[in-house]
Amino acid sequence: MAENIIKTKSFAFALRIVKLYQFLSSEKKEFVLSKQLLRSGTSIGALVRESEHAESKQDFIHKLAIAQKEANESDYWLELLFQSDYLNESQFQSLNSDIVEINKILASIIISTKNNLKR
């Protein structure tokens, strides 16, 4: 069975977000923004997992669309943490490249699934 790229990448991203939350709360004493990022960043993978057992193709698309919204929100919190100097540029660039890639994969899956439904 082929590797599920979005499942793997969204889980790895969630793990990075958990570790970032631990760092921000213990080292930087930042609790509000990091908690928002923790919620949105970990829910992407949870929604991807939920989509594996979707009741229909429409439900599958819906769950991945919500995951995409959570990815966009995570991107926002990362940018805010960077612009407010809680993240340095290399930390931000590394996490940002991950979330951009996840967003592209989600968009591709959603588009191809919609196209397959039209056939």
Side-chain angles (χ1 to χ4, degrees):
M1 187 165 153
E3 179 189 7
N4 185 333
I5 299 294
I6 191 60
K7 183 177 173 180
T8 302
K9 290 190 180 289
S10 61
F11 184 83
F13 182 76
L15 190 56
R16 289 189 73 193
I17 293 301
V18 168
K19 291 179 183 206
L20 177 61
Y21 174 76
Q22 291 169 334
F23 166 76
L24 290 171
S25 59
S26 66
E27 301 292 321
K28 300 279 189 168
K29 304 299 182 211
E30 197 300 307
F31 302 99
V32 177
L33 302 177
S34 58
K35 185 69 144 197
Q36 292 289 108
L37 177 60
L38 180 67
R39 287 185 179 125
S40 64
T42 56
S43 64
I44 301 164
L47 286 157
V48 167
R49 291 277 178 104
E50 277 187 50
S51 75
E52 290 181 313
H53 299 287
E55 295 174 13
S56 64
K57 289 291 183 187
Q58 289 84 0
D59 187 38
F60 176 78
I61 292 166
H62 179 69
K63 286 182 183 348
L64 290 185
I66 295 170
Q68 190 175 38
K69 289 179 181 183
E70 295 294 334
N72 285 330
E73 182 180 336
S74 297
D75 189 28
Y76 172 81
W77 295 121
L78 285 170
E79 189 172 340
L80 192 58
L81 285 162
F82 171 61
Q83 294 294 329
S84 58
D85 296 322
Y86 284 108
L87 295 177
N88 65 38
E89 184 152 0
S90 68
Q91 290 169 319
F92 171 73
Q93 291 301 335
S94 176
L95 288 160
N96 189 59
S97 69
D98 284 355
I99 201 61
V100 166
E101 183 180 18
I102 287 169
N103 251 328
K104 286 179 181 177
I105 295 168
L106 287 168
S108 175
I109 294 168
I110 291 167
I111 290 167
S112 62
T113 305
K114 282 181 179 179
N115 287 339
N116 287 340
L117 275 177
K118 291 178 185 175
R119 293 183 195 156

